Amino acid sequence: FGGLATFTSLASSLTSLGIVSGLVATDLMCLMLLLAARIPFVDRAFGHDHAVAVHSRLGKWVLCGLLLHAWFLICGYAASEGITIIAEWLSMWSIGDYVLAVVGLGALAVVAISSIVAVKRRMSYEVWHVIHLITYAAVAASIPHQFSQSGLFAEGNWQRWYWIGLYGATAFALLAFRILLPLFNSIEHRLVVSDVVREADDVVTITMRGRNLPALDVEAGQFFHWRFLGRKLWWHQHPFSVSAAPTRDSLRITVRSLGKGTAKLMKVKPGTRVMIEGPYGIFSDKARTTDAVTLVGIGIGIAPIRAVLEATDFEPGHATVVLRAHNAGQLYLAGEIADLCRQRGAKLVTLVGRRGRNRLGEARWVPASHQGPDHCRDRPRHRNE
């Protein structure tokens, strides 16, 4: 705001570019944090997954903007004082707030590197999550230099109130929806594991009971972030969709062992207290735009399909459920889904087997043995049959 008005010399132009890039990056940073704040309105309008995806893409632009901000300012200051860039950079280390800003920028760089897919795959979710918490420390470290070395918060201009309002709204959203609301819901609804049923060697269904669950306003197909307060479990947080339509006093999830954290859930005991964040997601009956329904589930992704099938309103003959798996043992909850399809008049199609290839040699979604509708089975064989 005003930085573009000072393009009168090389030094002022470089300084102005630094100011503008810093302002844009700061705006994007606040937007990035708001998208990750799990604000109910954002989740209902765009979906949690889409908001997180945009949040991740913005992170790269924020880092680039802040690097340009630092580079242009150092170059501009050096040109103004008639010294080398290195000399200017060294002289700035005597400013305490500048050091904090550099530390914050370095922390953001670490977060950005940890988000690279190849790097992310090598670390556990818990380690990755802790690294991402550094983002908040990085933002906090960058604020002091905005008071002492810039005019963002200078008294007597409207920009001061813009930035105070933006920072305040961002901090409020993070505090309210990431900390206070989940804590309130966990205390209010008092979820406790009531039953654990083994569906397969690596899959369990966990039923939890609580009080006043309709107040959560959860829809079949939505998910929560779950934290089971048991030994060696409490510090793991997992996103799981409900695998049955919610009732007045119970929620149910079906979990597959896919890592160290979920492996421990295979042995969770009844009586374990549960903390929740959510519900999130727009995969529910509310997202429908037509009378006909087609539900497609793969592997453990079949679990939310079972919940949506149970809760969705449709006329008999107007719904088709497609279940895909590499082998019959991975058709999780197939028996329950088959019963629901018979009760509700939905057609069930199962596709079992490894992926086939088309004439060009490209992998297909359907199995190699599937050549047409005649190869679909209306009822899957349950694992125990």
Side-chain angles (χ1 to χ4, degrees):
F1 301 140
L4 291 174
T6 58
F7 280 75
T8 57
S9 65
L10 176 61
S12 65
S13 296
L14 290 172
T15 303
S16 296
L17 286 172
I19 293 172
V20 172
S21 59
L23 293 175
V24 173
T26 303
D27 270 316
L28 291 179
M29 180 184 293
C30 290
L31 177 58
M32 180 182 74
L33 293 175
L34 286 170
L35 288 172
R38 299 172 186 168
I39 303 171
F41 167 76
V42 174
D43 184 65
R44 288 193 297 269
F46 303 103
H48 177 78
D49 293 344
H50 182 62
V52 171
V54 175
H55 161 87
S56 299
R57 289 196 292 270
L58 283 177
K60 302 177 180 66
W61 289 103
V62 169
L63 180 60
C64 289
L66 293 176
L67 288 171
L68 288 174
H69 166 70
W71 173 252
F72 281 130
L73 285 182
I74 292 174
C75 290
Y77 294 156
S80 176
E81 297 174 17
I83 59 177
T84 65
I85 294 174
I86 295 178
E88 179 63 36
W89 180 69
L90 291 174
S91 69
M92 295 186 71
W93 282 93
S94 61
I95 305 172
D97 291 348
Y98 171 78
V99 176
L100 285 175
V102 173
V103 171
L105 182 58
L108 285 177
V110 171
V111 173
I113 293 171
S114 72
S115 296
I116 298 173
V117 175
V119 176
K120 186 176 178 180
R121 287 176 178 172
R122 294 178 177 271
M123 61 180 70
S124 67
Y125 172 80
E126 287 73 26
V127 172
W128 177 85
H129 185 68
V130 169
I131 290 175
H132 267 62
L133 292 178
I134 296 175
T135 301
Y136 306 112
V139 173
S142 69
I143 291 177
H145 91 285
Q146 296 176 13
F147 281 93
S148 62
Q149 294 179 263
S150 75
L152 289 187
F153 295 97
E155 294 186 9
N157 58 60
W158 66 268
Q159 292 95 327
R160 170 187 176 89
W161 297 109
Y162 169 82
W163 291 108
I164 289 177
L166 182 59
Y167 277 132
T170 303
F172 172 80
L174 290 169
L175 178 63
F177 300 115
R178 291 297 299 268
I179 299 176
L180 297 181
L181 183 60
L183 184 61
F184 171 81
N185 282 337
S186 297
I187 295 173
E188 167 65 17
H189 299 292
R190 299 183 183 180
L191 282 171
V192 177
V193 175
S194 61
D195 191 29
V196 181
V197 177
R198 187 166 290 276
E199 305 287 350
D201 292 340
D202 59 347
V203 177
V204 295
T205 290
I206 303 171
T207 301
M208 290 149 285
R209 294 199 175 276
R211 65 177 190 179
N212 193 27
L213 296 187
L216 285 171
D217 195 27
V218 57
E219 298 283 337
Q222 290 188 299
F223 68 95
F224 290 85
H225 288 274
W226 310 83
R227 189 182 299 275
F228 293 82
L229 303 183
R231 184 171 177 268
K232 297 182 179 180
L233 291 173
W234 65 268
W235 64 290
H236 291 274
Q237 187 184 65
H238 306 277
F240 297 128
S241 300
V242 295
S243 62
T247 69
R248 294 189 60 82
D249 64 350
S250 70
L251 293 173
R252 195 187 96 164
I253 59 175
T254 300
V255 181
R256 184 182 180 188
S257 175
L258 294 172
K260 293 181 179 180
T262 49
K264 293 176 181 178
L265 287 179
M266 299 297 104
K267 299 179 181 179
V268 69
K269 302 296 184 183
T272 302
R273 292 288 301 273
V274 185
M275 295 187 68
I276 54 173
E277 292 183 31
Y280 303 122
I282 56 176
F283 178 60
S284 69
D285 188 38
K286 290 182 178 180
R288 256 172 74 193
T289 57
T290 64
D291 293 334
V293 178
T294 300
L295 300 172
V296 181
I298 306 174
I300 197 60
I302 292 172
I305 296 299
R306 185 242 180 263
V308 174
L309 174 64
E310 182 181 13
T312 299
D313 184 24
F314 57 82
E315 294 294 329
H318 285 71
T320 300
V321 180
V322 181
L323 305 183
R324 175 75 170 93
H326 280 190
N327 57 68
Q330 293 181 352
L331 289 172
Y332 307 116
L333 307 178
E336 295 183 21
I337 291 176
D339 290 340
L340 285 171
C341 285
R342 283 194 295 269
Q343 295 169 14
R344 308 211 54 206
K347 180 180 180 181
L348 176 60
V349 176
T350 61
L351 301 174
V352 179
R354 296 190 176 277
R355 291 192 177 199
R357 294 188 176 275
N358 60 21
R359 296 178 180 177
L360 300 177
E362 299 170 334
R364 300 189 306 162
W365 186 74
V366 297
S369 60
H370 179 72
Q371 301 295 330
D374 292 340
H375 288 255
C376 297
R377 292 182 293 139
D378 289 335
R379 185 183 187 278
R381 289 180 60 82
H382 192 270
R383 183 178 176 83
N384 295 322
E385 291 182 345

